[in-house]
Amino acid sequence: MPLLEVVQTRHLSASIRLTDTTALQVDQYAAFIKASADDVVEQALAYVFSKDRDFQEFLKSAEAQQVTPTLRVRRAPGTDTAEQPPKKPANGAANGSTSAAYAAGSRA
């Protein structure tokens, strides 16, 4: 029995980096529950966020309201409401030693 239940909702698009192993498992889990990889990532994150009690307490703090966004949100054509993607660090902090796959949020 699958651990995730997928509910159709409106999403924005964003780019994330995953290791090749994680990307493969996302695709495998998506096939297992007959859903998209986007839905697996969305539901897995929602599940973790809801189960992490320390995170739930953090969300109530002033610090949580001052977090600098780092998610690379893609703008929809003709929409000015999405955030600009953050600039890359000047020190080239991306780890080039691991393969990465990209997953994008669902388009609604």
Side-chain angles (χ1 to χ4, degrees):
M1 177 173 187
L3 295 176
L4 303 178
E5 179 181 325
V6 177
V7 177
Q8 296 297 320
T9 33
R10 184 173 176 93
H11 293 83
L12 56 85
S13 292
S15 295
I16 60 170
R17 290 171 43 110
L18 303 171
T19 63
D20 52 350
T21 303
T22 300
L24 175 60
Q25 288 182 327
V26 167
D27 284 333
Q28 290 170 328
Y29 201 87
F32 171 65
I33 65 170
K34 296 176 179 52
S36 71
D38 297 339
D39 291 333
V40 170
V41 172
E42 169 74 22
Q43 293 297 315
L45 289 172
Y47 178 80
V48 169
F49 297 157
S50 70
K51 296 299 181 185
D52 189 324
R53 291 184 183 176
D54 290 336
F55 179 63
Q56 292 300 317
E57 286 301 313
F58 172 78
L59 289 176
K60 297 173 187 174
S61 72
E63 183 182 356
Q65 305 308 312
Q66 298 172 359
V67 171
T68 302
T70 60
L71 187 64
R72 295 178 301 267
V73 176
R74 294 184 188 164
R75 289 172 151 242
T79 305
D80 293 325
T81 58
E83 295 178 21
Q84 292 286 343
K87 294 183 180 180
K88 292 184 180 180
N91 65 359
N95 183 352
S97 65
T98 56
S99 298
Y102 290 89
S106 300
R107 289 173 290 278

